[in-house]
Amino acid sequence: MNYNDQYAYYRRAVEETLRCAVPADVPNPLGDAMRYSLLAGGKRLRPVLLLAAYAILQRDLTPALPFAAAVEMVHTYSLIHDDLPAMDNDDLRRGRPTCHKAYGEGMAVLAGDGLLSLAFETMAQSRHPRAFAALGELAARCGTRGMVAGQCVDLTAEETGGNAELLRYIHLHKTADLLTAPLAMGLTLAGAGEDLLAQAREYGKNLGIAFQIIDDILDVTGDEATLGKHTGKDAQEHKCTWVSLYGLDQARKDAKTYTERAADSIKNDENAAIFLKTLAQRALVRVQ
């Protein structure tokens, strides 16, 4: 398969799993709010990364699908909470009203909480022999020393002003940790050795920094209709971004540098590994 077909293959597998991910006995409007955000589409990048990493060593994706769904649940929970008035205060996500605009702030908080809890329940119920190790990777990188820590520093930097050290911390944890986690999870589930895991973690770190730089650029240059969300908010809210610290031209150069570092991190020549290298290289398409 070529790159586009392979991405579509992984994405279809994820979508089929997500359609039945929220149990029917979750009371409404909570269940509806969870499905509203979880099934809103998007690139499904994080579960695709997990399946691609798993496929380097294993052909049957079925055992990895609960974990791919769980990663997307965690990502969706983070977006629901990130959009709240107390955080980024966004009313548009993927071209339609954010969860709190559609269901109210209280229900949006509960929908995010519900998806986070359901993610770990889903992984625990998988009965995969390496479930605990994979679950631990996600727990560490989405919590108080990972994504949540990055969000914390991002919020406080609005009040105290940013610098290069804070900015790198934000990018590493707010974004890169939730790209590194699925890669490490997929390889852990597949039984990978430490060398390949180290390559994946380096890839995830560099890809995550590149992605956040690109998001910073698109907040300045992007089209709202294409992105499905409002632009220009970073400057309005005095956020510490790559563009605010280094300028637009340098941000574009640095995005290219980090995508190249990500691609170079993967030494394996299996088809799924080549897919990951191509994915990193294509990240720049959004700003070129």
Side-chain angles (χ1 to χ4, degrees):
M1 284 189 284
N2 63 32
Y3 173 83
N4 289 333
D5 289 343
Q6 201 166 352
Y7 198 109
Y9 172 70
Y10 293 141
R11 188 173 171 180
R12 278 196 304 273
V14 172
E15 294 292 355
E16 289 171 7
T17 306
L18 290 175
R19 274 198 291 271
C20 56
V22 179
D25 60 353
V26 175
N28 287 323
L30 176 60
D32 285 343
M34 291 167 68
R35 294 183 193 95
Y36 176 83
S37 293
L38 185 64
L39 304 180
K43 297 181 292 294
R44 306 302 192 194
L45 172 63
R46 289 151 191 84
V48 165
L49 287 173
L50 188 150
L51 295 179
Y54 183 83
I56 294 174
L57 298 176
Q58 302 289 343
R59 294 194 179 278
D60 180 12
L61 298 181
T62 306
L65 287 173
F67 299 86
V71 167
E72 189 65 14
M73 290 179 207
V74 170
H75 177 54
T76 303
Y77 123 76
S78 75
L79 296 180
I80 293 172
H81 284 190
D82 195 43
D83 288 337
L84 288 166
M87 299 282 280
D88 279 359
N89 194 24
D90 280 311
D91 57 13
L92 195 65
R93 170 71 66 180
R94 291 170 177 161
R96 63 179 189 168
T98 50
C99 189
H100 71 273
K101 285 294 181 182
Y103 289 92
E105 292 179 29
M107 198 54 60
V109 170
L110 293 176
D113 293 345
L115 286 168
L116 178 60
S117 302
L118 183 60
F120 287 93
E121 180 184 346
T122 299
M123 290 185 288
Q125 289 178 344
S126 71
R127 301 191 181 278
H128 192 286
R130 300 186 186 92
F132 185 77
L135 186 153
E137 286 279 353
L138 183 56
R141 291 188 181 273
C142 77
T144 52
R145 288 170 293 173
M147 180 186 68
V148 172
Q151 283 282 30
C152 169
V153 174
D154 189 30
L155 279 176
T156 56
E158 294 176 27
E159 304 166 3
T160 61
N163 55 52
E165 184 179 357
L166 280 179
L167 181 65
R168 183 172 174 80
Y169 186 94
I170 292 167
H171 282 40
L172 279 173
H173 296 293
K174 180 181 176 182
T175 305
D177 271 343
L178 210 56
L179 293 177
T180 305
L183 292 157
M185 292 168 69
L187 287 171
T188 296
L189 293 166
E194 190 52 46
D195 182 58
L196 191 51
L197 278 164
Q199 292 178 36
R201 291 184 178 118
E202 185 67 15
Y203 173 97
K205 178 184 75 175
N206 288 300
L207 184 67
I209 293 173
F211 259 75
Q212 191 56 55
I213 295 173
I214 291 166
D215 277 353
D216 292 350
I217 293 169
L218 290 174
D219 189 71
V220 176
T221 67
D223 174 67
E224 289 190 2
T226 302
L227 295 173
K229 61 182 180 180
H230 296 307
T231 57
K233 290 180 63 63
D234 289 346
Q236 292 171 14
E237 297 174 2
H238 309 291
K239 281 189 173 292
C240 178
T241 71
W242 215 273
V243 175
S244 69
L245 277 190
Y246 300 112
L248 198 54
D249 288 343
Q250 188 61 45
R252 288 192 173 108
K253 292 176 184 175
D254 290 342
K256 185 174 187 293
T257 296
Y258 280 104
T259 55
E260 289 172 349
R261 288 181 185 174
D264 291 343
S265 299
I266 302 294
K267 312 301 182 185
N268 192 289
D269 60 0
E270 291 291 329
N271 187 50
I274 294 170
F275 171 86
L276 290 174
K277 293 169 77 74
T278 306
L279 187 152
Q281 293 159 351
R282 292 201 175 195
L284 278 178
V285 170
R286 297 194 294 160
V287 294
Q288 287 180 333

